[in-house]
Amino acid sequence: MTAPPPNQVLLSWSGGKDAAWALHVLRQRGDVDVVGLLTTIVEGADRVSMQDIRVEVVHAQAASAGLPLIEMRVPRQPDNAVYGARLAEALQVARSRWPSLRTLAFGDLFLDDIRHWRMQQCARLGWEAAFPLFGRDTAALAREMQAGGLRAALCCVDTTQLDASFAGSDFDADLLAALPVQVDPCGERGEFHTCVLDGPMFAAPLMLARGPTVLREGRFACTDFLART
């Protein structure tokens, strides 16, 4: 009996470790085929929403992953109506390229309200939402990522939850040991966000230079990462 073709999947791509590891995990499965990445870019800033990663960096990540990147551009603080409309447009672009595509995957780990909201957004547009990492123990997952060769650095720190001095730090065993006990090892509650530099999902490491760290919105300590020339 001939096996059914793998289900095509579009992956929500932040440029951070969870999205990157979700790509790695999905590629280990035989029943899915990740065909592209979808990233949310803030209009006028040319940076990824929340992560604050430069758009050229996520394009470099996508190139190293061997996947096309679809940009979903939104205002800095879109309401649900605007976000939903932009998502519909971006998914239509994806569907025009891959007509059988119907699944959007996310790297979320344990926040049920976010998971439910994403499922609602997708269902409204006739799509399914998938969460390949959801429910994992985040301490074990962080160690798995590091042991598996993922290299990342903290690109954004919420200074109301974690000291600004952590911005720019490598996401490694020393970081996990230094994090305050109330901070999730993967930053799932928004304590920090990361920029992925290398890992098994990439053909080659990204050659990025750490730039300055600035405080945005009076709260977020963001370390810039720039492509080396």
Side-chain angles (χ1 to χ4, degrees):
M1 181 180 296
T2 303
N7 180 39
Q8 292 184 325
V9 171
L10 184 68
L11 176 63
S12 178
W13 185 261
S14 64
K17 62 180 177 23
D18 299 337
W21 203 249
L23 174 59
H24 176 60
V25 168
L26 287 169
R27 282 177 162 173
Q28 306 311 299
R29 293 170 48 175
D31 61 336
V32 297
D33 176 23
V34 181
V35 295
L37 307 175
L38 173 67
T39 193
T40 305
I41 303 296
V42 176
E43 293 174 336
D46 279 344
R47 292 176 181 269
V48 178
S49 177
M50 297 306 297
Q51 255 79 3
D52 208 54
I53 299 172
R54 291 172 178 262
V55 65
E56 57 265 31
V57 171
V58 290
H59 275 278
Q61 291 174 331
S64 191
L67 292 170
L69 183 75
I70 296 174
E71 293 184 17
M72 171 182 153
R73 292 194 169 248
V74 299
R76 180 163 292 279
Q77 294 182 325
D79 58 28
N80 283 341
V82 170
Y83 181 90
R86 299 294 175 86
L87 178 62
E89 292 169 1
L91 293 183
Q92 184 56 45
V93 170
R95 185 74 64 81
S96 67
R97 182 164 185 171
W98 301 284
S100 64
L101 185 61
R102 65 182 185 277
T103 302
L104 180 58
F106 301 90
D108 297 296
L109 303 181
F110 63 70
L111 296 177
D112 284 316
D113 55 340
I114 297 296
R115 180 173 179 266
H116 181 68
W117 182 78
R118 296 200 197 281
M119 291 173 66
Q120 284 185 319
Q121 290 285 322
C122 287
R124 181 179 62 84
L125 299 171
W127 283 62
E128 298 176 0
F131 303 87
L133 303 181
F134 201 82
R136 294 286 307 274
D137 176 84
T138 52
L141 181 61
R143 293 192 296 270
E144 177 184 306
M145 291 177 181
Q146 294 168 6
L150 181 140
R151 289 182 52 241
L154 274 61
C155 57
C156 181
V157 168
D158 182 350
T159 61
T160 68
Q161 303 187 72
L162 183 63
D163 192 83
S165 62
F166 281 89
S169 300
D170 289 332
F171 180 72
D172 57 15
D174 289 340
L175 174 81
L176 297 181
L179 288 176
V181 66
Q182 73 272 16
V183 172
D184 181 75
C186 286
E188 179 65 353
R189 299 185 186 89
E191 299 99 327
F192 62 85
H193 301 285
T194 58
C195 176
V196 173
L197 310 175
D198 194 12
M201 69 294 302
F202 290 159
L206 272 69
M207 304 306 293
L208 301 181
R210 283 175 174 80
T213 298
V214 300
L215 189 66
R216 300 194 189 279
E217 302 176 28
R219 172 176 176 178
F220 299 103
C222 298
T223 299
D224 206 5
F225 285 84
L226 307 95
R228 290 176 177 166
T229 57

